[in-house]
Amino acid sequence: MAISELDFPLGVVARSHSDAQQLATALAEAVAAALRAAIDSHGTATLVVSGGRSPIAFFECLAEQPLPWARVLVSLADERWVPVGHADSNEGLVRRHLLRGPAADARLLGLYQRADSLQAAAQLADQALAELPPIDVLVLGMGDDGHTASLFPDSPGLSEALRGDCPRRCLPMLAPSVPHQRLTLTRPLLAAARLPLLAIQGPGKLDTLQQALQLNDPERMPIQAFLRAPLEIHWCP
Ligand SMILES: O=C(O)[C@H](O)[C@@H](O)[C@H](O)[C@H](O)COP(=O)(O)O
């Protein structure tokens, strides 16, 4: 199946790339162009990215893009509740693979803080996110189960996080995979991004997208909440 065969809502753009490196390069160029436009428009740019395994090539391409990086604030769509030095830390991933070269001048607003509990850590992240300007560019990933950010099906608190009027910016979540304890930005914050992008790879994730479109139930497949204009999907086999 090709992504062009999926029936997305009006305004959702789907782009297909020959391989992961082509996707990473095209995504980096699209994000850099949007960041430049944001800086031209209002002097700064706010970029929110996801973690996981697949963004590394994208981060490394984006880091080399020429733009006034000191005017860019980078934050995270979600975080594993582990110290930044932990191998599973999304902040650690961004610091290693994105905040380097020209992009080393960018500022980073991380989500992880030590706390007595995941709930307390989510409160601290929620307070820190009060400083986050409106998101200019959001890059989401997606799991085979239809999760995005750390909005996981069956996680306690998912319904609250998916509310269109959720008063929290960040909530605690539980993932089925380790590390189980996660922090996620909530639907209102993510859905308000000026340019939302979804980067996925492989036929399995096309199947997941097709299921999400057919189910039309964000509680069962949270990605569905974001399959709407002006989402731009980048996919490769
Ligand atoms: O912290 C995380 O793991 C991510 O934010 C998560 O939402 C990720 O985007 C998906 O799990 C896809 O991960 P891959 O791109 O590695 O498949």
Side-chain angles (χ1 to χ4, degrees):
M1 171 169 59
I3 196 164
S4 55
E5 297 171 48
L6 295 185
D7 186 17
F8 293 111
L10 192 62
V12 172
V13 173
R15 302 195 192 290
S16 184
H17 304 279
S18 52
D19 59 36
Q21 191 55 52
Q22 292 293 325
L23 186 156
T25 303
L27 188 62
E29 289 169 354
V31 167
L35 294 176
R36 288 189 200 99
I39 292 165
D40 290 347
S41 160
H42 45 270
T44 60
T46 301
L47 167 64
V48 170
V49 295
S50 296
R53 294 177 310 281
S54 54
I56 291 174
F58 156 62
F59 287 162
E60 293 182 351
C61 282
L62 181 58
E64 297 305 316
Q65 292 290 319
L67 55 100
W69 281 102
R71 294 173 175 265
V72 177
L73 176 65
V74 179
S75 192
L76 292 160
D78 67 328
E79 183 57 283
R80 293 84 179 277
W81 191 44
V82 295
V84 173
H86 189 286
D88 289 335
S89 165
N90 284 342
E91 178 174 336
L93 194 78
V94 168
R95 287 189 181 280
R96 283 193 303 278
H97 297 287
L98 177 53
L99 300 190
R100 54 190 245 175
D105 291 339
R107 289 175 296 130
L108 176 66
L109 173 59
L111 303 182
Y112 174 80
Q113 294 186 56
R114 289 180 58 183
D116 292 339
S117 69
L118 178 64
Q119 287 63 30
Q123 283 278 10
L124 291 173
D126 189 76
Q127 289 158 17
L129 286 164
E131 303 305 313
L132 187 75
I135 299 170
D136 292 299
V137 184
L138 169 67
V139 183
L140 292 173
M142 184 190 73
D144 290 331
D145 61 357
H147 83 260
T148 190
S150 280
L151 298 164
F152 285 93
D154 306 321
S155 172
L158 178 66
S159 297
E160 174 71 5
L162 286 174
R163 275 176 51 191
D165 61 351
C166 179
R168 289 283 295 269
R169 302 173 193 90
C170 180
L171 281 172
M173 285 285 142
L174 294 180
S177 54
V178 292
H180 296 296
Q181 295 183 311
R182 309 285 180 104
L183 301 167
T184 192
L185 268 55
T186 56
R187 183 177 186 172
L189 201 50
L190 295 170
R194 290 189 177 97
L195 174 60
L197 300 149
L198 172 64
I200 52 174
Q201 179 175 355
K205 292 199 176 175
L206 283 191
D207 291 341
T208 298
L209 273 187
Q210 188 168 48
Q211 288 170 45
L213 289 165
Q214 289 164 352
L215 263 180
N216 197 24
D217 180 355
E219 293 273 347
R220 290 176 59 190
M221 299 188 87
I223 189 63
Q224 193 279 332
F226 303 94
L227 298 180
R228 59 197 68 255
L231 180 68
E232 199 174 289
I233 304 173
H234 290 254
W235 176 81
C236 70

